[in-house]
Amino acid sequence: VYSKIQDDMVKIKRYYFKVIKYNCIVIYPIMVGLIILAKPLVLIGLGDKWGGAVLPIQLMAGAGLVHLLTSSNTILLRGIGKPKLEMIMSVIKTLGVTVPFIVLGVIYYGIIGAAAGLLGAKIVIFFINNITLRKVAGIKFLEILDNAGTLFAVTIVALIISIFTNNYLLLSLLFAVYLVLHIKISYSDIKQIWFLYKEKKNNTKSF
């Protein structure tokens, strides 16, 4: 799609923001659920001996949340005719950021360090992506956050509240409230996503 509109930066930005927003709508509840409910899910589902897996799961889910904010940047670069820049940036982010962060994390703190390293790498990569997007498409940092808008704000509030309780019932209630708010805020977009899914499914069947 980007290749068809590569000469119209206004349309490119609009489409890019829509893709990011749809990704957040679909995947944010999963990541937030893993962060808020990781402890009860692991301890009740797998037992106390798996307690050490709780924090790594939460950290990796946090990395997923950060990643989603600029996750489609490589497709955008390719679509607007900059595959060489896409390749260079991918190498830099993988070998210069992700691998060192995870390796150092493993060396010093084991599995928790690896998960923390992944989260740290995703945060650094977010800013690298933001600089790249600003240079090639005029997409600014505040525009990315504004695009996520209320969804992002509700997510942050829910995660902050979850820090202050270990009560499984309260955590479950918190996630339920978050999910209701998430669906209410995203309802019109969810209907659009469902419509696009059905349309694609019908087109596939026709072939």
Side-chain angles (χ1 to χ4, degrees), residues 34-184:
L34 286 173
I35 294 173
I36 294 177
L37 301 177
K39 192 169 185 179
L41 286 175
V42 170
L43 297 184
I44 294 174
L46 299 175
D48 291 345
K49 64 180 180 180
W50 288 93
V54 172
L55 185 55
I57 289 173
Q58 292 173 321
L59 290 170
M60 287 188 289
L65 291 176
V66 176
H67 174 74
L68 282 173
L69 292 174
T70 55
S71 58
S72 298
N73 71 96
T74 54
I75 299 173
L76 185 148
L77 292 176
R78 195 182 318 143
I80 62 175
K82 296 184 181 294
K84 186 175 181 180
L85 178 60
E86 178 206 356
M87 183 186 71
I88 292 171
M89 295 309 299
S90 294
V91 171
I92 290 173
K93 289 182 288 187
T94 301
L95 299 182
V97 181
T98 303
V99 172
F101 269 63
I102 292 177
V103 169
L104 288 172
V106 170
I107 291 173
Y108 289 102
Y109 299 103
I111 187 65
I112 293 177
L118 179 62
L119 174 57
K122 291 299 180 183
I123 292 172
V124 172
I125 288 171
F126 168 79
F127 288 105
I128 292 174
N129 288 341
N130 181 66
I131 293 169
T132 306
L133 290 170
R134 184 164 187 164
K135 294 286 186 183
V136 302
I139 297 173
K140 301 175 183 177
F141 173 74
L142 291 179
E143 287 180 305
I144 295 172
L145 292 184
D146 185 58
N147 176 61
T150 311
L151 284 179
F152 186 74
V154 169
T155 298
I156 295 300
V157 170
L159 295 179
I160 291 174
I161 293 173
S162 71
I163 295 172
F164 298 99
T165 180
N166 285 317
N167 184 285
Y168 294 174
L169 182 59
L170 290 178
L171 288 173
S172 300
L173 181 61
L174 174 62
F175 180 65
V177 171
Y178 165 81
L179 205 54
V180 170
L181 290 174
H182 181 89
I183 293 171
K184 186 175 181 179

